[in-house]
């Protein structure tokens, strides 16, 4: 089982090469307040001074520290200085550079921290990766996090406390992470900030190990016996006490090895019954054991996660496509695929069916039968026509001679005016279909032919060609629809079978109504006299024109003393806006209204049927039939190949990143498979 930790280290190396943070590997995160002794604990585990020190916040970037146990004879040479040693370190950001001087390692950590986080005590969540090889360490992966603080200092932002807490929670929220909560013994454990933060993500304490530092600095007459026995704050993984070097010891260059010997002596003297379960060496062994068991428990889920991600990145890489080798074949293939998908979207056989809204041919059908159909049905056959308008048209059509019958020319004039109103909704139907065919271009680009996203210039060219084709067909289709209405206006076919039948029924109804009115007249009134006078009669003998004057008015020039008294100037008589019609006038208007309505319904039915057919023939079907040849003719040219098949700037980078990640996941899967083969899991 000891070999499990190197396996995790190997997985960490694999994912470090691609800068990936999508796999949560088992690790140990060190959490504590500033000056709680976090750095001293880590240095005790390493056995060397390697971490920056100072006042205030020193750790300003997460430090992922991998400890790798090596054989004592496995020495490495520093390529720069030529020095040899059995302990050395490597940073991820310095590639293969080897550090054997731990003072240089400390300086590199400070320099790298300042490079990203600046010199103003600000923090960053970009981690520093450091690997230490030594025969004196146990295999561990530790994450040193910034110390918890309350008050900003220097140029730190006002929300530095929130920033640090969010950074800590980001790491310890990982369910595969063991939390090493460091608390000083000379503070109240009940108010430990480290344990408080740990409980937010691990309320049961199943993956929290408490470390009590500075046992030698407790007040005289007190000890940490109750704390170390777990009587104050129970933690399921246990509590381990350690003694760190003081600042004076560090200033006097006291070695870590000497400090560990003094720690052992202190524990034997102060806590003899607990000495074998506390101290730095016991902490290292415990962390090693906990991490191994934790890795063993996490591996099944880790393997599943890696396999799922590998499948996802394989699919992503496939969507990016392979680098173009045969430009001509690739261009022709993309053009053909786009044209096919465009036509399939119209026909309803596309691979990607829209579920949120109508699209393509379904929307065109909706435009024809719902939008256009309902709009035509809402057009009132007599809309915009008043009774006075109809009566005026009848009178104008008769000229100076009174007519015995309703003039046919008045019907034609009025019905043409009404039929003309069908042209606007018909042209609007063409416009809506044109807009939908324009939308299909974007639909195909987004869902059907994702390969076009690789080549933005080709995509733009295809959109331009299809848009121009649609734009070219739009006036032709509009002209045809205009002609359909013009054809109806050119010849009013009063011999149309439906119109003739309607006229016959209407004439019978009018005659029946006339007979009914004659029967209802009083018997004292002669029928010939009744038919000759209007509803009001002309009893004053002055003619109907007097009825056009207001009560009390006299005809112009007929006032007292006027030489033209009794003579009427009809040109000065205003035409009334409304008045009560005579029986004949009412009958004539009813005849015209019924004829207009009957003929209008016939024409509307024709337009409702012929406009969709014209749109389909001149616009939709023509574009479908000529799209492939139009695209090939405009784009399939040798001089355009290089330009059209130029990938977007980030596509090559995204393909490389996806390929690298897929390779890393495959390597990780292979590493885990090797564990199963050796029966370690």
């Amino acid at each position: 089982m000891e070999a499990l930790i190197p396996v995790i280290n190997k997985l960490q190396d694999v994912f470090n090469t691609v800068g990936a943070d999508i796999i949560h590997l088992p690790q140990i995160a060190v959490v504590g307040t500033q000056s709680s002794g976090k750095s001293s604990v880590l240095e005790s585990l390493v056995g060397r001074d390697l971490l920056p020190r100072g006042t205030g916040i020193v750790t300003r970037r997460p430090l992922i520290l991998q400890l790798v146990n090596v054989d004592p004879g496995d020495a490495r040479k520093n390529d720069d200085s030529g020095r040899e040693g059995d302990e050395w370190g490597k940073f991820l950001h310095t590639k293969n550079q080897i550090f054997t001087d731990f003072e240089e390692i400390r300086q590199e950590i400070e320099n790298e921290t300042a490079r990203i986080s600046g010199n103003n005590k600000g923090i960053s969540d970009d981690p520093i990766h450091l690997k230490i090889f030594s025969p004196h360490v146990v295999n561990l992966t530790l994450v040193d996090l910034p110390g918890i603080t309350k008050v900003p200092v220097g140029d730190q932002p006002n929300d530095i406390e929130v920033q640090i807490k969010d950074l800590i929670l980001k790491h310890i929220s990982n369910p595969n992470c063991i939390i090493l909560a460091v608390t000083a013994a000379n503070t109240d454990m009940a108010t430990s900030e480290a344990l408080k933060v740990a409980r937010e993500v691990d309320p049961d304490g199943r993956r929290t190990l408490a470390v009590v530092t500075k046992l030698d600095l407790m007040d005289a007459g007190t000890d940490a016996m109750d704390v170390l026995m777990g009587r104050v704050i129970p933690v399921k993984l246990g509590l381990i006490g350690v003694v760190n070097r003081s600042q004076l010891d560090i200033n006097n260059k006291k070695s870590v090895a000497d400090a560990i010997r003094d720690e052992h002596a202190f524990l034997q003297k102060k806590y003899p019954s607990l000495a074998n379960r506390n101290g730095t060496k016991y902490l290292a062994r415990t962390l090693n054991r906990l991490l191994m068991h934790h890795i063993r428990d996490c591996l099944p889920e880790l393997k599943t996660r890696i396999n799922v991600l590998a499948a996802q990145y394989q699919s992503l890489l496939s969507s990016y496509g392979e680098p173009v080798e045969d430009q001509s074949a690739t261009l022709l293939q993309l053009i053909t695929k786009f044209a096919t998908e465009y036509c399939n979207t119209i026909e309803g056989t596309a691979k990607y069916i829209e579920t949120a809204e109508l699209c393509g041919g379904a929307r065109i059908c909706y435009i024809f039968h719902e939008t256009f159909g309902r709009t035509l049905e809402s057009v009132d056959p007599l809309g915009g026509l008043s009774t006075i308008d109809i009566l005026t048209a009848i009178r104008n059509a008769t000229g100076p001679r009174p007519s015995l019958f309703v003039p046919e020319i008045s019907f034609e004039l009025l019905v043409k005016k009404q039929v003309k109103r069908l042209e606007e909704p018909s042209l609007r139907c063409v416009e809506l279909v044109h807009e939908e065919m324009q939308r299909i271009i974007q639909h195909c680009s987004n869902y059907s032919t994702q390969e076009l996203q690789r080549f933005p210039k080709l995509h733009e060219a295809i959109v331009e060609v299809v848009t121009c084709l649609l734009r070219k067909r739009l006036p032709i289709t509009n002209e045809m629809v205009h002609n359909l209405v013009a054809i109806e206006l050119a010849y009013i076919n009063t011999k149309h079978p439906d119109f003739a039948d309607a006229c016959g029924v209407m004439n019978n109804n009018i005659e029946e109504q006339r007979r009914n009115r004659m029967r209802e007249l009083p018997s004292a009134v002669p029928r010939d006299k009744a038919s000759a006078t209007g509803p009001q009669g002309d009893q004053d003998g002055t003619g109907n024109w007097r009825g056009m004057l207001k009560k009390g008015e006299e005809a112009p020039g007929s006032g007292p003393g006027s030489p033209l008294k009794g003579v009427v100037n009809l040109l000065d008589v205003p035409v009334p806006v409304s008045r009560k019609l005579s029986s004949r006038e009412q009958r004539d208007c009813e005849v015209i209204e019924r004829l207009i309505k009957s003929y209008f319904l016939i024409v509307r039915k024709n337009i409702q049927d012929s406009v969709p057919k014209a749109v389909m023939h001149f616009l939709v079907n023509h574009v479908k039939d000529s799209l492939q040849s139009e695209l090939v003719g405009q784009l399939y040219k040798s001089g355009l190949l290089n330009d059209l098949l130029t990938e977007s700037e980030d596509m090559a980078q995204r393909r490389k990143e996806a390929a690298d990640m897929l390779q890393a996941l495959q390597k990780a899967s292979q590493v885990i498979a090797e564990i199963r083969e050796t029966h370690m899991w």
Side-chain angles (χ1 to χ4, degrees):
M1 188 181 293
E2 180 70 25
L4 286 177
I5 296 179
V7 167
I8 292 299
N9 289 341
K10 186 182 294 185
L11 291 177
Q12 185 71 58
D13 293 341
V14 168
F15 291 117
N16 284 345
T17 58
V18 292
D21 193 23
I22 58 175
I23 295 290
H24 298 302
L25 296 174
Q27 58 190 9
I28 300 172
V30 185
V31 181
T33 58
Q34 289 183 18
S35 304
S36 62
K38 291 190 303 89
S39 298
S40 296
V41 170
L42 288 174
E43 288 182 336
S44 297
L45 294 174
V46 177
R48 301 293 293 265
D49 293 336
L50 79 160
L51 298 177
R53 291 184 176 275
T55 58
I57 181 171
V58 177
T59 304
R60 297 187 289 124
R61 289 178 60 184
L63 174 65
I64 299 179
L65 180 62
Q66 292 177 258
L67 305 183
V68 182
N69 182 268
V70 295
D71 295 334
D74 188 12
R76 289 290 182 271
K77 180 180 293 186
N78 188 316
D79 296 335
D80 297 330
S81 63
R83 292 172 295 181
E84 295 183 355
D86 59 357
E87 294 180 303
W88 70 94
K90 292 174 62 177
F91 288 95
L92 177 64
H93 64 271
T94 60
K95 306 302 180 184
N96 296 323
Q97 185 178 353
I98 296 175
F99 295 82
T100 57
D101 186 347
F102 281 79
E103 186 63 34
E104 293 181 1
I105 292 178
R106 174 188 296 173
Q107 188 62 46
E108 182 61 31
I109 293 175
E110 292 180 353
N111 295 339
E112 182 64 12
T113 299
R115 186 179 68 85
I116 299 297
S117 303
N119 298 314
N120 62 348
K121 299 295 183 180
I123 67 169
S124 170
D125 62 353
D126 187 15
I128 299 174
H129 294 266
L130 171 62
K131 187 179 292 187
I132 299 296
F133 300 85
S134 172
H136 311 299
V137 299
V138 295
N139 292 313
L140 284 176
T141 299
L142 302 161
V143 182
D144 186 20
L145 297 171
I148 301 172
T149 186
K150 292 293 184 181
V151 180
V153 296
D155 296 333
Q156 288 181 342
N158 294 330
D159 63 341
I160 186 66
E161 177 187 359
V162 177
Q163 290 186 27
I164 293 177
K165 185 176 180 180
D166 290 344
L167 177 58
I168 293 174
L169 290 175
K170 175 183 176 181
H171 283 81
I172 66 176
S173 298
N174 171 15
N176 296 335
C177 175
I178 295 176
I179 305 170
L180 191 64
V182 179
T183 304
N186 56 359
T187 61
D188 188 355
M189 288 289 291
T191 60
S192 170
E193 289 291 336
L195 290 174
K196 179 183 177 181
V197 172
R199 280 189 172 181
E200 291 187 22
V201 296
D202 183 32
D204 298 331
R206 295 183 181 276
R207 53 187 182 92
T208 301
L209 174 66
V211 175
V212 182
T213 63
K214 304 182 180 180
L215 292 174
D216 56 333
L217 298 181
M218 297 188 68
D219 295 338
T222 63
D223 60 30
M225 184 64 72
D226 289 341
V227 173
L228 297 178
M229 294 293 291
R231 297 169 186 165
V232 179
I233 301 293
V235 182
K236 292 188 177 180
L237 292 185
L239 293 94
I240 299 176
V242 297
V243 178
N244 300 329
R245 293 177 297 168
S246 66
Q247 188 61 45
L248 180 61
D249 294 335
I250 296 173
N251 294 338
N252 293 333
K253 304 296 183 182
K254 184 177 181 179
S255 67
V256 175
D258 292 339
I260 292 177
R261 282 194 297 269
D262 292 345
E263 175 192 52
H264 179 70
F266 174 84
L267 292 173
Q268 288 291 346
K269 177 182 178 181
K270 189 71 175 178
Y271 305 97
S273 62
L274 301 177
N276 63 336
R277 286 184 288 143
N278 290 277
T280 301
K281 289 187 176 181
Y282 180 76
L283 174 62
R285 292 194 302 269
T286 301
L287 291 175
N288 179 264
R289 175 178 54 82
L290 289 175
L291 186 57
M292 284 191 299
H293 286 283
H294 196 59
I295 291 171
R296 181 194 61 188
D297 297 338
C298 294
L299 275 179
E301 181 182 353
L302 188 63
K303 179 179 182 297
T304 301
R305 173 68 174 163
I306 289 175
N307 290 339
V308 170
L309 285 174
Q312 291 176 352
Y313 273 91
Q314 180 64 61
S315 176
L316 181 63
L317 186 61
S318 299
S319 68
Y320 291 156
E322 297 294 332
V324 178
E325 295 181 358
D326 189 343
Q327 291 184 331
S328 298
T330 301
L331 179 59
L332 188 59
Q333 178 184 2
L334 291 175
I335 288 176
T336 302
K337 186 171 184 180
F338 178 88
T340 302
E341 290 297 333
Y342 189 93
C343 296
N344 289 343
T345 302
I346 295 176
E347 295 295 334
T349 58
K351 181 179 179 181
Y352 297 90
I353 300 296
E354 183 68 55
T355 58
E357 61 178 355
L358 293 179
C359 177
R363 190 171 185 86
I364 293 175
C365 179
Y366 182 87
I367 292 171
F368 285 157
H369 302 290
E370 298 294 332
T371 306
F372 178 58
R374 290 181 180 179
T375 302
L376 289 188
E377 291 174 0
S378 68
V379 178
D380 183 7
L382 300 175
L385 282 183
S386 65
T387 304
I388 295 299
D389 294 335
I390 297 175
L391 186 59
T392 301
I394 294 174
R395 287 181 172 180
N396 287 336
T398 58
R401 298 174 302 280
S403 63
L404 298 176
F405 305 101
V406 177
E408 185 174 338
I409 188 64
S410 62
F411 161 71
E412 289 195 8
L413 291 174
L414 293 172
V415 81
K416 286 182 179 180
K417 178 181 178 182
Q418 298 306 100
V419 169
K420 183 69 175 177
R421 298 168 60 213
L422 298 176
E423 183 174 7
E424 182 178 351
S426 300
L427 294 176
R428 177 58 180 161
C429 175
V430 178
E431 183 181 352
L432 290 175
V433 174
H434 176 268
E435 291 176 358
E436 178 57 28
M437 296 191 72
Q438 193 73 39
R439 288 179 64 236
I440 296 176
I441 303 175
Q442 191 63 36
H443 174 82
C444 293
S445 302
N446 292 341
Y447 300 101
S448 303
T449 53
Q450 296 183 355
E451 294 92 337
L452 286 179
Q453 297 178 5
R454 291 178 57 191
F455 311 107
K457 291 187 178 180
L458 175 60
H459 178 255
E460 293 175 2
I462 288 178
V463 172
E464 180 64 24
V465 171
V466 182
T467 301
C468 289
L469 179 60
L470 290 172
R471 191 185 303 122
K472 184 168 61 176
R473 298 303 302 176
L474 182 60
I476 298 175
T477 309
N478 282 336
E479 181 66 21
M480 182 59 199
V481 170
H482 173 77
N483 287 337
L484 288 176
V485 179
I487 289 170
E488 296 291 346
L489 296 174
Y491 180 65
I492 305 301
N493 183 16
T494 56
K495 293 296 184 180
H496 191 285
D498 295 340
F499 185 69
D501 294 342
C503 288
V505 174
M506 181 186 64
N507 290 334
N508 293 335
N509 291 338
I510 293 175
E511 182 62 26
E512 181 66 25
Q513 291 176 7
R514 190 188 68 80
R515 287 197 295 267
N516 291 338
R517 285 198 299 269
M518 294 298 292
R519 294 192 192 100
E520 294 171 358
L521 288 175
S523 56
V525 180
R527 295 184 181 277
D528 56 347
K529 186 174 181 61
S531 62
T533 62
Q536 302 294 331
D538 295 334
Q539 299 174 5
D540 57 358
T542 59
N544 282 340
W545 61 268
R546 286 191 178 273
M548 300 179 184
L549 300 178
K550 295 181 181 178
K551 187 175 181 180
E553 289 184 346
E554 294 185 0
S558 61
S562 172
L564 299 177
K565 181 175 176 58
V567 179
V568 179
N569 185 357
L570 294 179
L571 295 179
D572 291 336
V573 177
V575 177
V577 176
S578 63
R579 63 179 178 82
K580 191 169 184 179
L581 303 181
S582 65
S583 298
R584 178 173 178 177
E585 289 173 338
Q586 188 172 357
R587 184 176 67 250
D588 290 347
C589 288
E590 289 178 359
V591 170
I592 292 296
E593 287 177 356
R594 295 186 185 188
L595 289 175
I596 291 174
K597 186 173 183 180
S598 176
Y599 195 84
F600 181 88
L601 295 178
I602 295 173
V603 175
R604 185 173 71 182
K605 183 178 179 181
N606 294 341
I607 294 296
Q608 191 170 353
D609 178 65
S610 59
V611 167
K613 292 179 178 178
V615 174
M616 287 299 296
H617 176 72
F618 287 93
L619 182 61
V620 180
N621 290 342
H622 187 279
V623 170
K624 281 172 49 183
D625 296 340
S626 60
L627 180 60
Q628 170 83 12
S629 58
E630 190 76 16
L631 288 172
V632 172
Q634 294 287 338
L635 304 179
Y636 192 66
K637 300 176 181 178
S638 58
L640 298 177
L641 290 177
N642 290 331
D643 186 50
L644 293 178
L645 295 181
T646 300
E647 287 187 321
S648 60
E649 295 180 357
D650 62 335
M651 181 58 66
Q653 179 65 24
R654 287 158 60 187
R655 185 191 296 109
K656 182 180 182 302
E657 291 175 355
D660 292 344
M661 179 59 69
L662 179 61
Q663 185 178 8
L665 291 168
Q666 291 171 344
K667 287 182 179 179
S669 180
Q670 184 179 1
V671 169
I672 295 179
E674 292 174 357
I675 300 176
R676 300 190 64 178
E677 292 176 0
T678 55
H679 305 287
M680 289 188 294
W681 162 37

